[in-house]
Amino acid sequence: MKQILCFGDSNTWGLDGETGKRFPWEERWTGILQEKLADRDIRIVEEGLCGRTTIFEDPLRLGRRGTELLPTLLETHTPDAVVLMLGTNDCKTFYNASAEVIGLGVERLVEQIRKADKNIRILLISPIQLGEGVWEQGYDPEFNEKSVEVSKGLKAVYQKVAEKYGCDFLAASDVAEPSKEDREHLNEEGHKKLAEAVLEVLAA
């Protein structure tokens, strides 16, 4: 059985911006992907964590730095492919990072995968854009206007990283957008669209 490791943040974990709870497995893009691939002897390993970044330490929550955990997960699961989607949390005001700096963080993660096994197929996904006003009262104060602009620049940066390392590439922002409820996370329809897009790339 082949294994696909999906490594990401709350949009891989499946946070529902409307309820603040987790979407059921069958509604998350990873669960939908598993259902679509069930007859192909493929197992989806879902490794999403709210607040996860590429390289930054979260001053409010421990264990969020992606580069700290990914090598362990690669050794644990020995995946045939990795679907990597991080970067939204790197846009937080804590880090004051540009899209280019976040891209360097993504490069470190790609290098860790290549070091573990150069034959692992990598699908690098640039995340959905943050919604306008995500920083306003009642939404997420960890972001500001600059965060939204940085999130818009991730697609171009990640595409260059994918080309540099020979990865497959998908821009989640091309197929989905943040929910109106929290301006940050995928809604149920967004999970469906992302799953379909990921499946199309993997099948190709």
Side-chain angles (χ1 to χ4, degrees):
M1 176 175 286
K2 292 187 176 181
Q3 299 199 89
I4 299 176
L5 174 65
C6 298
F7 189 68
D9 52 32
S10 53
N11 273 318
T12 297
W13 186 83
L15 181 65
D16 181 351
E18 183 176 3
T19 66
K21 298 180 180 180
R22 196 179 196 183
F23 281 112
W25 166 250
E26 64 273 11
E27 294 179 11
R28 304 199 291 271
W29 69 266
T30 46
I32 297 170
L33 198 61
Q34 179 65 85
E35 182 182 359
K36 298 288 187 182
L37 296 171
D39 61 347
R40 302 190 189 184
D41 205 26
I42 293 175
R43 175 174 176 258
I44 298 298
V45 180
E46 181 190 72
E47 281 288 353
L49 180 65
C50 298
R52 177 175 282 152
T53 68
T54 59
I55 57 173
F56 299 111
E57 291 282 6
D58 190 322
L60 299 178
R61 290 180 287 186
L62 296 176
R64 264 52 188 183
R65 182 159 57 97
T67 51
E68 185 175 19
L69 184 60
L70 182 57
T72 302
L73 295 176
L74 293 169
E75 189 173 350
T76 300
H77 299 294
T78 59
D80 299 276
V82 175
V83 179
L84 176 61
M85 185 172 71
L86 283 172
T88 297
N89 293 302
D90 299 57
C91 297
K92 290 179 178 179
T93 57
F94 294 140
Y95 312 121
N96 194 32
S98 65
E100 289 72 22
V101 168
I102 296 171
L104 293 175
V106 168
E107 284 198 50
R108 298 292 83 75
L109 292 164
V110 171
E111 288 169 354
Q112 287 180 334
I113 299 169
R114 288 280 188 252
K115 183 177 180 180
D117 185 343
K118 60 182 177 59
N119 294 315
I120 294 175
R121 182 179 178 185
I122 302 172
L123 169 54
L124 178 59
I125 303 179
S126 59
I128 59 173
Q129 297 174 4
L130 290 166
E132 295 296 334
V134 68
W135 62 87
E136 294 175 353
Q137 186 174 359
Y139 294 92
D140 196 334
E142 295 181 87
F143 297 106
N144 60 14
E145 293 180 63
K146 180 183 176 183
S147 302
V148 176
E149 292 308 308
V150 171
S151 75
K152 292 178 180 179
L154 295 180
K155 175 182 174 179
V157 171
Y158 281 38
Q159 191 163 14
K160 290 180 181 178
V161 173
E163 291 171 356
K164 178 179 178 180
Y165 290 90
C167 306
D168 292 308
F169 174 73
L170 171 67
S173 57
D174 284 350
V175 298
E177 56 187 24
S179 68
K180 295 179 180 178
E181 286 75 21
D182 77 344
R183 306 173 184 175
E184 183 178 351
H185 294 98
L186 293 165
N187 58 17
E188 185 178 351
E189 184 63 25
H191 277 273
K192 290 179 182 178
K193 290 181 177 179
L194 181 59
E196 291 170 359
V198 171
L199 182 63
E200 184 176 348
V201 175
L202 292 178

